[in-house]
Amino acid sequence: MPQPSSTFSPLRESALRTLQIEQAAIGGLQGKLDESFDRACELMLACQGRVVVTGMGKSGHIAGKLAATLASTGTPAFFVHPGEASHGDLGMITRNDVVLALSNSGETAEVTALLPLLKRLGTPLISMTGRPGSTLAKHADAHLDSGVEREACPLDLAPTSSTTAALALGDALAVALLEARGFTADDFALSHPGGSLGKRLLLRVKDLMHSGTRLPQIALGSPLRDALLEITRQGLGFTCVVDSEGRLAGVYTDGDLRRTLDQFHDLREVTVDDVMTRPGKRIGPDLLAAEAVRIMEDSRITALAVVDDEQRPIGALHMHDLLASGVI
């Protein structure tokens, strides 16, 4: 681990010291994972309602982020402010829910005030605190120890290492639940339909491909002139070349044309068979558009033939389509 150097400015020395302290705080969590972590996961996996995450102050900010992470990874969850809960919002919580309460001290008044009400409801409680002997920890059905040796704040007062540790432990909890549920990329996409992330996860090749009369295609044995006309007519920079049974035999591209001009002085007798690329890059219609991006980038090409299970062309996909859709 790099140590502060006299060549660093005081500002960078302070920043480096903070990062080292917080790194150590996260590393210290590994030895705190025990059967209580398993119990917390089991309670959340068995939950018939929602996971209600709560916390006050800085812990409340971490709780809000944790609720959002859980909700986007297959565990329905939402955040409730503990102060508001005591003034009516407790009605959001039912006996079918599980409450996850964050408090570094484990004694936060607004959070511990909820204990009698939760016990009366019979709602399972998971606590995440830095003190296993605290009130909140002792009354929880499962306790997650997020304790740290010290805060990164030089006064050992401002929540820094403790909130970083709670954030990391919350992520560990969310990922453990994600894997236990067998959560997939398709499941993730359902909760992220907007923006570029949703487009990468939701859009499939068939949603973007050119088909029907927009599919560039000529037959094996065709004069090179026909291939050039088809490329020009469709404007996708390539054409599919199919055999007598309609299967993709190869492709002819703008790049192939440049190579053809280097090889032949007279193009009148050249057929597409002589100069096409075999067998040609292709993709299935049900694959993610993001997979098409990977194939194009790896192969340094700008277009793909889309084929069915019998390897018959049913569409064409160009890099411009992926750019226009926001996939890249």
Side-chain angles (χ1 to χ4, degrees):
M1 181 184 299
Q3 298 297 319
S5 167
S6 58
T7 61
F8 288 173
S9 70
L11 294 173
R12 275 181 287 161
E13 287 186 356
S14 176
L16 183 59
R17 185 171 57 250
T18 298
L19 294 174
Q20 291 172 345
I21 293 171
E22 298 205 353
Q23 183 180 36
I26 294 176
L29 295 176
Q30 298 179 46
K32 300 177 186 293
L33 293 178
D34 55 18
E35 293 81 2
S36 193
F37 184 88
D38 297 336
R39 176 60 177 156
C41 290
E42 290 164 359
L43 287 170
M44 297 172 78
L45 288 169
C47 179
Q48 298 298 307
R50 307 296 176 106
V51 175
V52 182
V53 193
T54 190
M56 193 72 185
K58 304 298 187 296
S59 292
H61 294 303
I62 301 301
K65 186 272 180 187
L66 178 52
T69 299
L70 289 169
S72 69
T73 53
T75 300
F78 63 92
F79 172 78
V80 169
H81 191 285
E84 298 295 335
S86 296
H87 295 277
D89 282 3
L90 193 66
M92 297 179 181
I93 305 173
T94 73
R95 64 179 66 253
N96 293 323
D97 298 328
V98 171
V99 172
L100 173 57
L102 279 66
S103 167
N104 187 42
S105 68
E107 304 292 346
T108 305
E110 293 87 349
V111 178
T112 57
L114 304 180
L115 289 173
L117 303 171
L118 295 176
K119 295 300 180 182
R120 189 179 307 164
L121 277 173
T123 303
L125 172 65
I126 301 168
S127 63
M128 184 186 296
T129 81
R131 294 176 56 204
S134 64
T135 300
L136 192 59
K138 289 190 292 186
H139 287 86
D141 297 282
H143 174 250
L144 302 176
D145 185 356
S146 61
V148 299
E149 289 189 7
R150 58 172 173 152
E151 299 288 3
C153 165
L155 302 176
D156 199 25
L157 294 174
T160 45
S161 301
S162 59
T163 49
T164 298
L167 181 64
L169 186 55
D171 285 343
L173 187 63
V175 171
L177 294 171
L178 177 155
E179 293 183 349
R181 295 182 191 279
F183 198 73
T184 66
D186 285 342
D187 296 323
F188 193 81
L190 293 176
S191 58
H192 296 78
S196 59
L197 176 60
K199 289 174 181 176
R200 288 198 301 273
L201 293 171
L202 287 171
L203 282 178
R204 299 190 180 273
V205 170
K206 62 186 176 184
D207 299 322
L208 301 175
M209 70 182 189
H210 301 273
S211 58
T213 58
R214 290 298 319 279
L215 170 61
Q217 181 173 286
I218 62 170
L220 272 174
S222 298
L224 180 59
R225 178 178 179 276
D226 290 354
L228 299 179
L229 289 174
E230 183 71 353
I231 292 173
T232 301
R233 183 173 69 88
Q234 298 293 8
L236 296 179
F238 89 115
T239 183
C240 299
V241 184
V242 298
D243 61 21
S244 59
E245 296 183 1
R247 291 190 294 262
L248 183 66
V251 296
Y252 191 73
T253 70
D254 287 340
D256 291 325
L257 174 58
R258 288 189 288 273
R259 287 185 286 273
T260 301
L261 293 174
D262 287 338
Q263 294 174 359
F264 298 90
H265 297 294
D266 187 354
L267 303 182
R268 288 174 295 181
E269 302 300 322
V270 178
T271 67
V272 71
D273 308 40
D274 301 323
V275 291
M276 71 181 186
T277 297
R278 300 173 186 263
K281 294 294 180 180
R282 60 195 71 192
I283 194 170
D286 294 320
L287 291 179
L288 291 174
E291 178 67 9
V293 174
R294 185 192 65 78
I295 293 173
M296 289 183 188
E297 289 179 341
D298 289 349
S299 304
R300 297 177 180 271
I301 57 178
T302 59
L304 278 173
V306 185
V307 298
D308 62 16
D309 293 339
E310 302 298 324
Q311 299 304 302
R312 293 184 173 88
I314 58 173
L317 185 66
H318 196 277
M319 185 69 80
H320 290 165
D321 304 317
L322 299 166
L323 287 166
S325 68
V327 175
I328 54 177

